[in-house]
Amino acid sequence: MEDHILKDKTYHIGVEATMDIIGGKWKAIILCHLRNQTLRTSELRRAIPQITPKMLTQQLRELEDDGIVNRKIYEQVPPKVEYSLTERGESLNSILHELCLWGEANIAERKECGEVITLLSEEAS
């Protein structure tokens, strides 16, 4: 985050600032996978099979630039890169947990209405 060029920004409400960091289709999903463990790029790709390698790299770089994710590069052959949450990133854990619980409750309600939905992994309460 130290390398950031400071920009003037105006937010109308606080959630805009949050969404500026974790908004979009993939960032919250990536962060949920990193909440309890450090993962390599290939492990993240397996955990999120719908994301393209290019998009995963882009989203990880943006999260790193925002001080949310730490990238550790090991000098070895083949190269090894691991991603983990920074302290600032860990401060999002309770928000991400609540989003997961809300999503699970929403899925349960929709299933009761007859939708066919498969949830492969549930949040530990």
Side-chain angles (χ1 to χ4, degrees), residues 15-87:
V15 73
E16 286 182 76
T18 305
M19 296 309 293
D20 197 25
I21 302 292
I22 68 166
K25 183 174 181 178
W26 300 111
K27 287 182 181 176
I29 296 168
I30 292 167
L31 294 173
C32 282
H33 284 289
L34 292 175
R35 277 189 314 156
N36 301 313
Q37 59 190 333
T38 298
L39 293 172
R40 296 177 67 174
T41 311
S42 59
E43 293 170 321
L44 280 166
R45 269 196 237 127
R46 278 193 298 277
I48 315 168
Q50 310 91 325
I51 194 170
T52 65
K54 180 182 176 186
M55 181 59 69
L56 177 60
T57 299
Q58 177 186 330
Q59 299 293 279
L60 286 165
R61 292 281 160 80
E62 289 176 14
L63 288 165
E64 184 183 5
D65 288 345
D66 287 327
I68 303 298
V69 166
N70 181 53
R71 177 173 47 135
K72 183 173 183 182
I73 303 168
Y74 294 88
E75 299 293 328
Q76 66 182 51
V77 177
K80 178 180 174 182
V81 179
E82 291 182 336
Y83 293 92
S84 60
L85 295 182
T86 63
E87 189 174 322

XYZ file of all heavy atoms in Angstrom, residues 15-87:
594
model
N -19.911 2.142 3.060
C -19.886 0.879 2.323
C -19.251 1.058 0.937
O -18.695 0.114 0.382
C -21.299 0.245 2.246
C -22.193 1.000 1.275
C -21.214 -1.223 1.877
N -19.302 2.255 0.397
C -18.641 2.499 -0.898
C -17.142 2.258 -0.790
O -16.538 1.700 -1.711
C -18.883 3.939 -1.364
C -20.272 4.211 -1.868
C -20.394 5.648 -2.339
O -19.894 5.962 -3.440
O -20.984 6.463 -1.591
N -16.549 2.678 0.322
C -15.114 2.482 0.522
C -14.790 0.994 0.650
O -13.771 0.518 0.137
C -14.641 3.245 1.748
N -15.686 0.259 1.324
C -15.501 -1.191 1.453
C -15.601 -1.854 0.089
O -14.746 -2.668 -0.283
C -16.561 -1.790 2.404
O -16.509 -1.106 3.649
C -16.330 -3.281 2.607
N -16.630 -1.505 -0.663
C -16.827 -2.120 -1.967
C -15.736 -1.725 -2.959
O -15.431 -2.476 -3.879
C -18.214 -1.780 -2.519
C -19.360 -2.336 -1.676
S -19.220 -4.098 -1.313
C -19.430 -4.786 -2.944
N -15.141 -0.562 -2.755
C -14.022 -0.134 -3.578
C -12.862 -1.130 -3.458
O -12.131 -1.367 -4.406
C -13.575 1.266 -3.148
C -12.723 1.960 -4.176
O -12.822 1.641 -5.385
O -11.937 2.841 -3.785
N -12.731 -1.741 -2.283
C -11.650 -2.691 -2.031
C -12.069 -4.123 -2.367
O -11.329 -4.848 -3.023
C -11.201 -2.643 -0.545
C -10.730 -1.234 -0.150
C -10.132 -3.694 -0.262
C -9.461 -0.781 -0.805
N -13.252 -4.560 -1.914
C -13.616 -5.972 -2.057
C -14.730 -6.226 -3.060
O -15.191 -7.344 -3.201
C -14.010 -6.609 -0.700
C -15.320 -6.028 -0.154
C -12.882 -6.485 0.300
C -15.914 -6.828 0.980
N -15.158 -5.191 -3.773
C -16.254 -5.336 -4.718
C -15.870 -6.136 -5.944
O -14.706 -6.450 -6.183
N -16.853 -6.468 -6.720
C -16.632 -7.245 -7.929
C -16.979 -8.699 -7.693
O -17.333 -9.112 -6.590
N -16.864 -9.482 -8.724
C -17.299 -10.875 -8.683
C -16.357 -11.768 -7.884
O -16.800 -12.723 -7.249
C -17.405 -11.402 -10.119
C -17.917 -12.813 -10.218
C -18.143 -13.208 -11.658
C -18.687 -14.621 -11.746
N -18.962 -15.015 -13.127
N -15.061 -11.486 -7.874
C -14.102 -12.461 -7.379
C -13.418 -12.124 -6.059
O -12.983 -13.024 -5.354
C -13.030 -12.704 -8.442
C -13.603 -13.216 -9.715
C -13.669 -12.551 -10.913
C -14.214 -14.483 -9.944
N -14.285 -13.334 -11.860
C -14.625 -14.534 -11.280
C -14.455 -15.596 -9.127
C -15.256 -15.637 -11.836
C -15.085 -16.693 -9.676
C -15.478 -16.706 -11.018
N -13.265 -10.862 -5.720
C -12.423 -10.519 -4.572
C -12.909 -11.103 -3.258
O -12.113 -11.661 -2.501
C -12.249 -9.003 -4.468
C -11.339 -8.460 -5.545
C -11.143 -6.974 -5.396
C -10.251 -6.448 -6.503
N -10.113 -5.000 -6.440
N -14.187 -11.005 -2.965
C -14.697 -11.557 -1.706
C -14.517 -13.074 -1.675
O -14.207 -13.653 -0.625
C -16.159 -11.175 -1.497
N -14.674 -13.727 -2.815
C -14.494 -15.177 -2.891
C -13.038 -15.536 -2.611
O -12.745 -16.455 -1.834
C -14.956 -15.711 -4.268
C -16.460 -15.470 -4.420
C -14.602 -17.184 -4.440
C -16.993 -15.683 -5.819
N -12.118 -14.819 -3.218
C -10.687 -15.035 -2.974
C -10.386 -14.840 -1.490
O -9.707 -15.661 -0.862
C -9.834 -14.077 -3.841
C -9.950 -14.450 -5.320
C -8.377 -14.094 -3.381
C -9.420 -13.391 -6.275
N -10.893 -13.758 -0.928
C -10.628 -13.457 0.478
C -11.192 -14.528 1.405
O -10.569 -14.885 2.409
C -11.177 -12.080 0.842
C -10.481 -10.909 0.154
C -11.211 -9.608 0.439
C -9.026 -10.826 0.561
N -12.366 -15.058 1.081
C -12.932 -16.132 1.906
C -12.034 -17.362 1.908
O -11.869 -18.009 2.927
C -14.337 -16.492 1.433
S -15.584 -15.314 1.983
N -11.449 -17.672 0.777
C -10.546 -18.825 0.711
C -9.257 -18.578 1.487
O -8.647 -19.522 1.987
C -10.239 -19.187 -0.744
C -11.362 -19.895 -1.416
N -11.729 -21.187 -1.117
C -12.235 -19.474 -2.362
C -12.758 -21.542 -1.862
N -13.095 -20.515 -2.621
N -8.844 -17.327 1.592
C -7.595 -17.002 2.297
C -7.805 -16.736 3.786
O -6.831 -16.559 4.517
C -6.930 -15.776 1.655
C -6.393 -15.978 0.245
C -5.878 -14.657 -0.316
C -5.276 -17.030 0.236
N -9.050 -16.706 4.243
C -9.330 -16.347 5.635
C -8.624 -17.227 6.646
O -8.162 -16.746 7.664
C -10.832 -16.392 5.925
C -11.517 -15.146 5.525
C -12.922 -15.107 6.000
N -13.597 -16.378 5.722
C -14.627 -16.815 6.392
N -15.115 -16.136 7.380
N -15.197 -17.947 6.072
N -8.577 -18.516 6.403
C -8.046 -19.441 7.401
C -6.756 -20.126 6.985
O -6.278 -21.005 7.699
C -9.108 -20.507 7.731
C -10.377 -19.879 8.263
O -10.322 -19.025 9.142
N -11.504 -20.275 7.722
N -6.231 -19.742 5.831
C -5.025 -20.428 5.364
C -4.288 -19.631 4.303
O -4.862 -18.801 3.620
C -5.393 -21.803 4.810
C -6.375 -21.752 3.645
C -6.899 -23.114 3.280
O -6.243 -24.115 3.497
N -8.094 -23.167 2.710
N -3.018 -19.924 4.198
C -2.169 -19.402 3.136
C -2.286 -20.359 1.960
O -2.261 -21.578 2.143
C -0.705 -19.322 3.622
O -0.645 -18.415 4.720
C 0.230 -18.866 2.523
N -2.445 -19.805 0.755
C -2.624 -20.656 -0.421
C -1.701 -20.227 -1.559
O -1.410 -19.043 -1.719
C -4.077 -20.599 -0.907
C -5.130 -21.193 0.021
C -6.524 -20.885 -0.512
C -4.934 -22.693 0.176
N -1.301 -21.202 -2.343
C -0.551 -20.936 -3.561
C -1.542 -20.595 -4.665
O -2.739 -20.883 -4.573
C 0.277 -22.163 -3.948
C 1.347 -22.477 -2.902
C 2.096 -23.724 -3.250
N 2.882 -23.497 -4.458
C 3.741 -24.381 -4.946
N 3.922 -25.536 -4.347
N 4.408 -24.106 -6.043
N -1.043 -20.004 -5.737
C -1.897 -19.626 -6.865
C -2.658 -20.831 -7.395
O -3.863 -20.750 -7.648
C -1.052 -18.988 -7.990
O -0.221 -17.985 -7.441
C -1.917 -18.384 -9.068
N -1.977 -21.955 -7.562
C -2.630 -23.155 -8.097
C -3.727 -23.655 -7.166
O -4.755 -24.159 -7.630
C -1.605 -24.260 -8.343
O -0.938 -24.604 -7.144
N -3.543 -23.521 -5.853
C -4.570 -23.934 -4.900
C -5.796 -23.030 -5.000
O -6.936 -23.498 -4.913
C -4.009 -23.922 -3.478
C -2.935 -24.977 -3.264
C -2.204 -24.824 -1.945
O -1.925 -23.673 -1.537
O -1.909 -25.860 -1.330
N -5.569 -21.737 -5.184
C -6.687 -20.808 -5.375
C -7.428 -21.121 -6.664
O -8.649 -21.087 -6.710
C -6.194 -19.360 -5.380
C -5.947 -18.757 -4.003
C -5.138 -17.464 -4.118
C -7.263 -18.495 -3.290
N -6.704 -21.457 -7.729
C -7.351 -21.807 -8.994
C -8.235 -23.038 -8.846
O -9.335 -23.095 -9.387
C -6.314 -22.050 -10.090
C -6.008 -20.793 -10.852
C -5.297 -21.096 -12.153
N -4.042 -20.363 -12.108
C -2.840 -20.867 -12.307
N -2.698 -22.139 -12.584
N -1.775 -20.127 -12.242
N -7.750 -24.030 -8.090
C -8.566 -25.237 -7.857
C -9.781 -24.913 -6.990
O -10.854 -25.480 -7.184
C -7.722 -26.328 -7.196
C -6.874 -27.117 -8.172
C -6.303 -28.381 -7.563
N -5.404 -28.156 -6.446
C -4.113 -27.848 -6.550
N -3.571 -27.719 -7.744
N -3.375 -27.670 -5.480
N -9.612 -24.012 -6.026
C -10.719 -23.652 -5.129
C -11.784 -22.820 -5.841
O -12.946 -22.826 -5.448
C -10.180 -22.891 -3.922
N -11.362 -22.087 -6.891
C -12.274 -21.210 -7.639
C -12.149 -21.567 -9.121
O -11.565 -20.819 -9.909
C -11.928 -19.716 -7.417
C -11.681 -19.412 -5.952
C -13.029 -18.818 -7.986
C -11.055 -18.043 -5.694
N -12.682 -22.712 -9.533
C -12.446 -23.172 -10.908
C -13.025 -22.265 -11.992
O -12.559 -22.303 -13.135
C -13.096 -24.564 -10.943
C -14.005 -24.621 -9.773
C -13.479 -23.654 -8.757
N -14.005 -21.413 -11.656
C -14.623 -20.570 -12.678
C -13.755 -19.363 -13.052
O -13.976 -18.737 -14.079
C -15.978 -20.039 -12.207
C -16.922 -21.068 -11.661
C -16.768 -21.248 -10.146
O -15.685 -21.154 -9.589
N -17.884 -21.525 -9.476
N -12.774 -19.010 -12.238
C -11.961 -17.817 -12.506
C -10.827 -18.173 -13.471
O -10.245 -19.254 -13.378
C -11.412 -17.206 -11.190
C -10.867 -15.793 -11.418
C -10.364 -18.099 -10.554
C -10.526 -15.039 -10.134
N -10.544 -17.266 -14.392
C -9.428 -17.503 -15.307
C -8.115 -17.174 -14.595
O -8.097 -16.351 -13.667
C -9.532 -16.617 -16.564
O -9.411 -15.251 -16.177
C -10.850 -16.850 -17.305
N -7.025 -17.799 -14.984
C -5.736 -17.483 -14.362
C -5.392 -15.992 -14.441
O -4.881 -15.410 -13.474
C -4.733 -18.318 -15.156
C -5.541 -19.465 -15.685
C -6.915 -18.895 -15.949
N -5.696 -15.369 -15.583
C -5.409 -13.938 -15.749
C -6.212 -13.095 -14.757
O -5.679 -12.175 -14.135
C -5.727 -13.517 -17.182
C -5.470 -12.048 -17.456
C -5.841 -11.677 -18.880
C -5.669 -10.188 -19.088
N -6.140 -9.756 -20.392
N -7.495 -13.408 -14.589
C -8.347 -12.652 -13.674
C -7.912 -12.875 -12.226
O -7.892 -11.940 -11.426
C -9.808 -13.043 -13.860
C -10.768 -12.294 -12.955
S -10.734 -10.495 -13.135
C -11.445 -10.296 -14.753
N -7.546 -14.119 -11.881
C -7.080 -14.402 -10.530
C -5.840 -13.573 -10.214
O -5.769 -12.923 -9.163
C -6.777 -15.893 -10.370
C -6.208 -16.305 -9.008
C -7.168 -15.968 -7.874
C -5.874 -17.791 -9.011
N -4.895 -13.550 -11.133
C -3.676 -12.762 -10.924
C -4.000 -11.281 -10.783
O -3.488 -10.601 -9.889
C -2.694 -12.980 -12.097
O -2.348 -14.370 -12.129
C -1.442 -12.142 -11.947
N -4.873 -10.770 -11.631
C -5.258 -9.352 -11.576
C -5.904 -9.005 -10.231
O -5.560 -8.004 -9.608
C -6.217 -9.027 -12.717
C -6.727 -7.602 -12.700
C -7.791 -7.373 -13.772
O -7.787 -8.005 -14.814
N -8.722 -6.481 -13.490
N -6.847 -9.849 -9.789
C -7.552 -9.578 -8.542
C -6.602 -9.663 -7.350
O -6.671 -8.843 -6.427
C -8.710 -10.558 -8.365
C -9.755 -10.476 -9.457
C -10.517 -9.162 -9.457
O -11.437 -8.980 -8.686
N -10.128 -8.253 -10.326
N -5.705 -10.651 -7.352
C -4.719 -10.769 -6.275
C -3.798 -9.557 -6.227
O -3.487 -9.046 -5.148
C -3.908 -12.054 -6.431
C -4.636 -13.343 -6.062
C -3.876 -14.551 -6.588
C -4.853 -13.437 -4.558
N -3.385 -9.078 -7.393
C -2.510 -7.891 -7.427
C -3.227 -6.668 -6.881
O -2.642 -5.862 -6.154
C -2.026 -7.628 -8.858
C -1.090 -8.681 -9.382
C 0.329 -8.508 -8.850
N 1.117 -9.720 -8.958
C 1.715 -10.151 -10.037
N 1.615 -9.477 -11.165
N 2.414 -11.270 -10.013
N -4.500 -6.497 -7.240
C -5.268 -5.360 -6.727
C -5.431 -5.446 -5.213
O -5.281 -4.449 -4.511
C -6.636 -5.275 -7.408
C -6.557 -4.841 -8.855
C -7.905 -4.846 -9.560
O -8.956 -4.921 -8.890
O -7.914 -4.768 -10.815
N -5.715 -6.649 -4.712
C -5.844 -6.828 -3.266
C -4.505 -6.588 -2.566
O -4.454 -6.029 -1.468
C -6.378 -8.229 -2.948
C -7.847 -8.454 -3.295
C -8.180 -9.946 -3.305
C -8.756 -7.694 -2.339
N -3.433 -6.983 -3.213
C -2.089 -6.725 -2.666
C -1.811 -5.221 -2.655
O -1.321 -4.676 -1.655
C -1.050 -7.466 -3.500
C 0.349 -7.336 -2.952
C 1.387 -8.025 -3.821
O 1.058 -8.532 -4.910
O 2.566 -8.021 -3.407
N -2.127 -4.550 -3.742
C -1.922 -3.093 -3.825
C -2.715 -2.344 -2.751
O -2.276 -1.314 -2.258
C -2.324 -2.559 -5.204
C -1.346 -2.955 -6.303
O -0.219 -3.400 -5.989
O -1.731 -2.832 -7.480
N -3.884 -2.888 -2.391
C -4.730 -2.258 -1.379
C -4.350 -2.660 0.043
O -5.015 -2.267 1.001
C -6.205 -2.581 -1.643
C -6.747 -1.824 -2.844
O -6.303 -0.690 -3.094
O -7.625 -2.376 -3.544
N -3.306 -3.474 0.176
C -2.834 -3.858 1.504
C -3.684 -4.914 2.180
O -3.640 -5.075 3.396
N -4.449 -5.679 1.412
C -5.355 -6.692 1.956
C -4.715 -8.082 1.910
O -4.926 -8.902 2.790
C -6.697 -6.703 1.168
C -7.346 -5.315 1.197
C -7.637 -7.764 1.686
C -7.716 -4.807 2.563
N -3.927 -8.328 0.879
C -3.304 -9.631 0.666
C -1.792 -9.458 0.614
O -1.280 -8.487 0.058
C -3.831 -10.267 -0.651
C -2.989 -11.443 -1.084
C -5.283 -10.689 -0.489
N -1.103 -10.424 1.200
C 0.358 -10.460 1.161
C 0.792 -11.547 0.176
O 0.236 -12.644 0.172
C 0.895 -10.777 2.568
C 2.400 -10.809 2.587
O 3.057 -9.878 2.162
N 2.953 -11.906 3.082
N 1.769 -11.212 -0.660
C 2.329 -12.190 -1.606
C 3.755 -12.494 -1.179
O 4.574 -11.596 -1.036
C 2.311 -11.623 -3.023
C 2.941 -12.551 -4.046
C 2.748 -12.039 -5.453
N 3.065 -10.631 -5.586
C 3.784 -10.107 -6.567
N 4.254 -10.869 -7.524
N 4.017 -8.820 -6.614
N 4.031 -13.780 -0.965
C 5.379 -14.195 -0.583
C 5.941 -15.053 -1.702
O 5.349 -16.055 -2.090
C 5.347 -14.984 0.727
C 6.720 -15.370 1.216
C 6.654 -16.006 2.596
C 8.060 -16.316 3.073
N 8.051 -16.968 4.390
N 7.087 -14.629 -2.220
C 7.737 -15.330 -3.330
C 8.938 -16.097 -2.790
O 9.781 -15.533 -2.099
C 8.201 -14.330 -4.413
C 7.017 -13.516 -4.917
C 8.901 -15.066 -5.554
C 7.408 -12.320 -5.765
N 8.998 -17.387 -3.096
C 10.121 -18.215 -2.694
C 11.065 -18.351 -3.886
O 10.633 -18.687 -4.992
C 9.645 -19.604 -2.255
C 8.810 -19.577 -0.995
C 7.430 -19.387 -1.053
C 9.411 -19.734 0.244
C 6.670 -19.358 0.103
C 8.653 -19.707 1.414
C 7.285 -19.524 1.333
O 6.527 -19.493 2.478
N 12.330 -18.086 -3.656
C 13.344 -18.193 -4.715
C 13.718 -19.656 -4.883
O 14.610 -20.162 -4.216
C 14.586 -17.366 -4.342
C 14.312 -15.886 -4.168
C 13.921 -15.195 -5.462
O 14.398 -15.603 -6.540
O 13.126 -14.242 -5.387
N 13.002 -20.351 -5.744
C 13.267 -21.748 -6.011
C 12.786 -22.084 -7.407
O 12.115 -21.275 -8.046
C 12.584 -22.642 -4.966
C 11.057 -22.583 -5.028
C 10.401 -23.436 -3.966
O 10.738 -23.329 -2.808
N 9.460 -24.270 -4.374
N 13.145 -23.275 -7.862
C 12.691 -23.747 -9.166
C 11.909 -25.025 -8.938
O 12.425 -25.961 -8.329
C 13.883 -24.000 -10.110
C 13.422 -24.563 -11.449
C 14.681 -22.722 -10.311
N 10.649 -25.120 -9.393
C 9.878 -24.035 -9.993
C 9.520 -22.971 -8.957
O 9.514 -23.240 -7.757
C 8.611 -24.749 -10.501
C 8.467 -25.939 -9.619
C 9.865 -26.348 -9.235
N 9.213 -21.763 -9.433
C 8.894 -20.676 -8.504
C 7.674 -21.019 -7.651
O 6.758 -21.681 -8.108
C 8.587 -19.481 -9.408
C 8.909 -19.893 -10.785
C 9.129 -21.364 -10.810
N 7.693 -20.555 -6.425
C 6.580 -20.792 -5.499
C 6.126 -19.443 -4.968
O 6.941 -18.653 -4.495
C 7.039 -21.697 -4.354
C 5.981 -21.971 -3.311
C 6.548 -22.878 -2.221
C 5.569 -23.055 -1.095
N 6.134 -23.888 -0.014
N 4.824 -19.183 -5.078
C 4.245 -17.935 -4.577
C 3.083 -18.308 -3.676
O 2.246 -19.132 -4.047
C 3.748 -17.032 -5.732
C 3.137 -15.752 -5.193
C 4.882 -16.721 -6.695
N 3.045 -17.710 -2.488
C 1.960 -17.954 -1.551
C 1.255 -16.648 -1.232
O 1.884 -15.592 -1.161
C 2.477 -18.562 -0.243
C 2.982 -19.964 -0.374
C 3.422 -20.535 0.956
O 3.762 -19.770 1.888
O 3.426 -21.770 1.052
N -0.057 -16.751 -1.021
C -0.872 -15.594 -0.684
C -1.510 -15.813 0.680
O -1.966 -16.908 1.001
C -1.959 -15.367 -1.738
C -1.397 -14.957 -3.071
C -1.090 -15.907 -4.037
C -1.140 -13.617 -3.354
C -0.553 -15.528 -5.260
C -0.612 -13.236 -4.572
C -0.315 -14.196 -5.510
O 0.214 -13.818 -6.714
N -1.548 -14.740 1.450
C -2.194 -14.769 2.763
C -2.792 -13.393 3.012
O -2.479 -12.422 2.312
C -1.176 -15.121 3.844
O -0.140 -14.151 3.871
N -3.638 -13.321 4.028
C -4.218 -12.033 4.390
C -3.233 -11.244 5.246
O -2.543 -11.814 6.090
C -5.512 -12.222 5.183
C -6.680 -12.863 4.462
C -7.890 -12.926 5.375
C -7.024 -12.116 3.185
N -3.180 -9.963 5.008
C -2.429 -9.075 5.883
C -3.274 -8.834 7.133
O -4.425 -9.269 7.216
C -2.165 -7.718 5.198
O -3.438 -7.097 4.950
C -1.386 -7.868 3.900
N -2.735 -8.132 8.083
C -3.519 -7.781 9.272
C -4.752 -6.975 8.861
O -5.847 -7.183 9.373
C -2.655 -6.975 10.244
C -3.294 -6.753 11.586
C -2.367 -6.092 12.582
O -1.161 -6.407 12.595
O -2.861 -5.240 13.346
